[in-house]
Amino acid sequence: MRNDNLRWAVPVEHKVLELSGLTIRQIKPERMTVISGPFRAITKATGIDRAFGWPEVLDGDTYMLRLRRDRVLVVDGPDLADGWNAELGLAISDMTGGYAVFEIEGAEALAFLRRGASVDVRTPSPSVNRLFHGLAAMIYTWRDQSRFRIHVASHMQEAFWTLARNLAGAASEHATT
Amino acid sequence: MRGHSGWGKAWRTSALKPTYDVIIIGGGGHGLATAYYLARNHGINRVAILEKGWLGGGNTGRNTTAIRSNYYYPESAALYDLSLRLYENLSKELNYNVMFSPRGMMVLAHSVAEMEIAARTVNAMQINGTDAELFDAEDVRKRAPILNFSREARFPIHGAIWQGRAGTGRHDAVAWGYARAADSLGVDIIQNCEVTDVITEGGCAVGVNTNLGEVRAGRIGAAVAGHSSVLAGIAGFDLPIHSYALQAFVSEPLKPVMDTVAFSPAYGTYFSQSDKGGLVFGGALDRVPSYGQRGNMPVQESVVSGLAEMAPVLAKVKLLRHWAGIVDVTPDSSPIIGPSGIDGLYLNCGWGTGGFKAIPAGGTLFAHLLATGSHHEISRPFDLDRFRSGRLIDEGAASGIAH
Amino acid sequence: MTGSRIDSGGLIDRAKPLGFSFDGRAYSGYSGDTLASALLANGVRVMGRSFKYHRPRGVWGAWFDDPNAIFGIRLADDEFPNCPATTTQLVDGMQARAVNAWPSAKFDIKAGLDLFHRWLGAGFYYKTFMWPGWGLFEPAIRRMAGLGHLDLNTVAGYVSDQLHDSCDFLVIGGGAAGLTAARAMAEAGQDIVLIDDHPELGGGLYRRGLAIEGETPQVWIASQHKAIRQAGGRIMTSTTGFGIFDHNLVGLAEDRGFSRAPRLHRMRASRIVMATGALDRPITFANNDRPGIMSVEAATEYLGRYGVLVGRHIALVSNNSFAGQAAAQLRAAGAEVTGCDATQGPIRALGGKHLSGVEVGGKRYGCDTILASGGLTPIVHLWRHAGGKLNWRDDLAAFVPGNPMEGMIAIGAANGTFDMDEALAEARSVVKSGGASVRGDHYSITPIWPKPGAKGRQWIDFQHDVTLKDVEQAARENFVSVEHLKRYTTLGMASDQGKTSNMAGLVAMASIQGKSIPETGTTTFRPPFVPVPLELYRGQNRGHTRNPLKRLPLEAVHRAAGAAMGEYGGWLRPGWYGEKSAEDAIRAECAMARKAAGIFDSSPLGKIEVMGPDAEAFVNFIYYNTIRTLKPGAIRYGFMLTERGIVYDDGVISRLGPQRFVISCSSSHVDGVNANLEAWRQDGNDPDRLFVHDTTANWATVTVTGPKAREIVAELGTDLDFSPDNFPHMTFRETVFLGAPARIARVSFTGDASYEISVPVASVETLWKTLIAAGGSLGAGPVGLEALSVLRAEKGYLIIGKDTDGETMPHDLGFGIPRLKKQAEYVGDRSLYSEVAQLETRRQFVGLAVPERAGPLPTGAHLVDTRDGRTVSIGIVTSSYDSPCLGKPIALALMECGQERMGEQVTVLHLGETRMAQVTSPCFLDPAGERLNA
């Protein structure tokens, strides 16, 4: 029986990191919903007619991310009943607490992301699903070419934060040399 | 003293004869050992080994040289310990220094749960009649002080399964030693000879077609490792095997820093130091079926970083070379020895990542099968029919590595 | 006379002198020097000893083609082994020592080994050291082998930076061809990256010493550099392309300075331009390993890049047309150069540690330095990594890249285009097709190859001391394939991986065999192109960001409550609470949980929803137990089997509605179960009628268990009626807590009445605090995983993977009915009737009892029997604890025919010691289930 308290850093409450050319902060969308099913039905249920992939630039507070052919993540969308919607043929699950979301901004934002994921602006992908340094993540462009958002499973947010601090430092240092 | 001029050819360059008593397809360690034991144990030397490339050029020349019998099931213990015992005397038997070095092997345990699994395995090994000890952390540190005992270690060391008789050998020398000995007993080793077809008559395999012509035999034994599925395709039988690339690595040579073999399932890497000084190491497969004998960066990063984590003082040591072989993996991580389903054609394959340590046993048992037409009691459990009966010998599950 | 610095020239910064030491003696050099160039400038020649015979060695090459000068280097607190002097940039304060030499390279006590060379030839260790045993000789051999000594301190801050990168064109090599191609493509609007492994671009232009397109090399290079940058191209110097992997992924190692780990770029290039140049290869002749024998290319490189003249009286022995220009440069720098035609007859170096001359075809020439060039060998390693083939060119006496590959081309010297104008035209044509081919000064060569049977000791692999005689011996012994030759003699296996030895070795063998060179072929080219530190592959995949644990929403609360956090099933969870020792804390928590209640964080439990019209049939198929008949609001325990019939996971399935189920699988298997479900979903089901959502991370769960659990949960302020008749065991209710949905499942892992309350993550802190407050006044409190493990064992509740092994089937665990009765098909059904599944001697789940005073049995002990005089294992102890509630040790086990042997004594063996135990039911507590259903 081992007490590992000292091996794992105490969880960080306010996750904000500011470096030259790079800012990373945690944001908390009001609602996140995973919906699976035919896209037409999803549009009908949410009132949103477009789901975004990479490297499309998203805007607006309410948007839809494509995870796979038959699955989306709706951010700040309507409050839909959890479970199976028989009329539309949709599986709906609230995941507001299931993902931790971070916004990455600055001249070095893409360089930071590329320390964990092989994202390339010239290689589009219909899905926002990626691996970020081995963590399952969703990565997409937000508002402009130097701002991105990344979602990781909420139970991995401490791992992401520790990694992000180290990778951000490396990206920042690289930019200045 | 004439220096080396007194040693003649290690093996003859033989011409392919039209018929033999036994043909062995595959001139790797298992094929060569089989031929040797056919001649030595059974007096059968009208034998040809047909090797597509240069002998010992497959997994025998690519592995990370560990020799051990720290397995869980009694059937496995019998098999691998037979091999270990044969290795212990092999240099003298073959009059060729295979440099077998019984420097011990440890399988690290990094938690209470892993120590419980370790205890289970140590007890199993002792019951199965082979040597095993349950090490605590201090025992491990005495044997391998460069391992990661720091407070920052991701996986602290609690102890290990220790097998003192285990160790390493010089892989090429094993192939060459068996080749030389088999050749001296009259076996024909035919290199650059590729089998293109299996000739059957009345449902019975009677020979093979090769790029050097047709050759017939009373019995045919296939020991072609990663290419077993290819041969199965040619000959028309089914094999529950997938072939993957297994990468291996060697560092630049250093003065001695590591005197034993260490494997950490948690870090995903195993390593030892060759007598020439390079650290020889490896880890998981590239799990994409391939005959390419090369792997890719994600696995390289995982394995190499695993070594740097196991022994952080090695982070500044340089990687000199990495390569890969093709490993034939069965559903239970145990080999296949036995009839193929086609009369006259027998199999010794499915060793996956663990064929090198088993060369002497594989050769002995396969020779027995080819000479007598029936199993030695040690090889019987590894027959292909176990996939029908369900009597698998699942060493993968036994290792307790989470699936 | 040996080397010296000339008054001007080179790229070094003469305004920045640097001090260093080598083998204990102090020297100085300049910024921009390598250790090799600085030592040569100081007149040092002997820089190392060969691996086997400890013969003195000087540098052969000026870059990665030198196998001889390998140093251990100390700088401040850090020490690195095996640094090549030719590629290590000089830093002020470096203390260098030749590896494998003592006390110094100049005077090595093992030099006497060379006297025994006749018995130490290729493969000598295979033929001897067998009697009495290898073990006797091995320690000494190991100490003699190895190059550098490893300093056992870690280097502070030695962390690689790693990143993904991409481009349209990756140009590897910043020499004339590479710069030209990069510029042309950048100016044509392509996204290009140009890399070069030197700190300064230019490749071979400095050593060539001629104008290029009318400009001096430095001016021309600067123009290309500027033009490329202006056109938006990226340039990285001190960066080596060390390997090419599938789909044009190129591994780049960017040097960041001596004590810093390099940076890894995983570069995905749409197209690769290989402009890696060519190496000057050695001539094989008698005594060709002496210090002072270098390649022509090296001499002009030392001159052009570093302002070092390698010797005063130089014999330049060559067989190709580029020698003349080299001779002219060296003369202009003040050396006396005698040109010797290597084709004129047998060559022999004269003199020992200090060269005195060279003999060519019987004629003697006095000299202090021999430059020997056998011709250019294109550097094709990366081409081969990518799977490209090689062609043999008789006119060049070299292997060149074969047919173009998709996504990769070779240009310039790397492509066998040795003439400058042709190379530039070729480089420009990368952009447009069909460039004009202009003939420049011809490269012509008369091949001169090793002559088997020639007199004298002639070296092929300098570091490993492999000579022509060793190749002859290998041939004699029938190690004739190039791979056998390599492995038997170790030719090409040294630090340079054959860059200076492979050609001579394979040609010698070809000659002996009477085969052509292309027929003989080369050995396999493998990454890394030059040795790179292990750290390059690690980066942030280290320490606690390596396989990081999942973290609980309540972690801060647990820590504040004094929890000892530990690693359980991939999560960081409380093991126990409080200041007491672990044993005392666990004992107290068990007692409290049985007497009042325990409150614990069960958030990691899986919550995988299966939804849709086909959900019922699907869940019924996935699980061994019949789930089809489960009613909404009810919960059933079930096993998930593999196709082999082995129990993979257990869990509880709750039915939320006609077309909605929640699978609560074990915490450590959530990802595996989710993947398994999705894989089966996609196998033969209508994808529109069935969906699997892993919602585990969205819900946090707190469990209250114990006789007072009901009272505690009643304090939550829900509208639920918790009376046992209205809320029985194995049912659940949906309700509201703090305005958010809550699910309360009455499932037990302890054998006492238990309520698992799942709420959205945002609500869990309040939920926890409410329950703790309510529990506190009733004598209840938090319990950790360790206590929980004991409590469940008292009830005989198993943990899959601990109390089951890779063979356990459901009927071994006492769950035999579905196997006999379930009609619908399910995963694993056929395997439950295999021969092995029907054996009567299967290992079954049982309990074991021992006398109170005896102490718990060791987990991992085996149950044994004696058969035919041998001890055989008939089972294993899978869990074992001191039970505070029962006041005695308890254990769980898998045992052959366990169910039939209830009450019998069995022998337990652990590390050679035996004890006796009694076979019992695994349920030690409340078999009637009264506490459970209360």
Side-chain angles (χ1 to χ4, degrees), chain C residues 167 169-174 177-179 181-183 185 192-196 271-275 411:
Chain C
C167 62
F169 280 89
L170 174 67
V171 182
I172 305 177
L179 282 165
R183 178 177 179 174
M185 286 187 291
I192 71 115
V193 171
L194 168 67
I195 65 165
D196 190 276
R271 310 270 256 298
I272 299 168
V273 178
M274 192 178 83
I411 58 172

Side-chain angles (χ1 to χ4, degrees), chain B residues 259-291:
Chain B
D259 294 338
T260 181
V261 185
F263 170 40
S264 166
Y267 287 115
T269 306
Y270 49 86
F271 77 109
S272 63
Q273 187 170 20
S274 80
D275 289 333
K276 252 183 85 243
L279 297 168
V280 177
F281 60 102
L285 307 169
D286 276 64
R287 215 161 259 280
V288 176
S290 166
Y291 298 110

Side-chain angles (χ1 to χ4, degrees), chain A residues 22 24 27 32 51-58 63-68 73 75 99-105 108-121 123-153 160 163-164 167, chain C residues 164:
Chain A
L22 181 60
I24 306 176
I27 61 166
M32 287 185 275
F52 286 81
W54 169 272
E56 303 158 77
V57 181
L58 276 75
Y63 53 89
M64 206 148 72
L65 302 168
R66 179 175 288 101
L67 304 183
R68 57 183 218 197
L73 178 75
V75 177
Y99 298 110
V101 186
F102 297 86
E103 202 159 277
I104 298 143
E105 192 179 359
E108 300 311 316
L110 188 61
F112 163 80
L113 280 178
R114 298 188 78 175
R115 272 175 167 72
S118 62
V119 286
D120 180 358
V121 176
T123 307
S125 169
S127 166
V128 296
N129 274 334
R130 292 284 178 184
L131 287 177
F132 183 85
H133 213 282
L135 302 176
M138 303 168 199
I139 301 178
Y140 52 99
T141 314
W142 170 251
R143 287 242 160 94
D144 62 62
Q145 301 282 5
S146 68
R147 192 144 43 144
F148 306 90
R149 284 188 173 172
I150 179 168
H151 297 220
V152 295
F160 172 79
L163 253 182
L167 297 178
Chain C
H164 295 271

Side-chain angles (χ1 to χ4, degrees), chain A residues 42-80:
Chain A
I42 294 176
T43 302
K44 218 165 159 198
T46 60
I48 305 165
D49 59 9
R50 192 173 162 204
F52 286 81
W54 169 272
E56 303 158 77
V57 181
L58 276 75
D59 204 340
D61 289 311
T62 299
Y63 53 89
M64 206 148 72
L65 302 168
R66 179 175 288 101
L67 304 183
R68 57 183 218 197
R69 255 179 319 167
D70 61 352
R71 180 170 293 169
V72 299
L73 178 75
V74 184
V75 177
D76 285 342
D79 187 4
L80 300 171

Side-chain angles (χ1 to χ4, degrees), chain C residues 736-783:
Chain C
V736 170
F737 177 73
L738 288 188
R743 294 173 188 159
I744 305 186
R746 225 194 121 168
V747 193
S748 179
F749 192 48
T750 61
D752 271 308
S754 298
Y755 298 85
E756 282 180 3
I757 305 136
S758 296
V759 294
V761 167
S763 310
V764 73
E765 193 166 331
T766 307
L767 173 67
W768 176 268
K769 291 188 166 142
T770 307
L771 292 167
I772 292 286
S777 51
L778 295 167
V783 300

Side-chain angles (χ1 to χ4, degrees), chain C residues 6 44 50 77 150 431 535 698 885:
Chain C
I6 58 175
V44 174
S50 63
D77 291 324
L150 181 68
V431 176
E535 176 56 40
N698 190 58
C885 310

Side-chain angles (χ1 to χ4, degrees), chain B residues 315-318, chain C residues 80 157-163 238-240 242 252-265 531-539:
Chain B
K316 61 194 170 187
V317 171
K318 291 195 285 292
Chain C
F80 290 80
Y158 193 69
V159 179
S160 173
D161 181 25
Q162 303 179 324
L163 55 95
S238 298
T239 302
T240 306
F242 63 84
L252 308 181
E254 182 188 344
D255 187 351
R256 296 194 293 168
F258 182 72
S259 299
R260 299 198 69 196
R263 174 179 288 124
L264 172 68
H265 298 250
V532 291
L534 301 189
E535 176 56 40
L536 182 71
Y537 297 85
R538 178 164 61 157

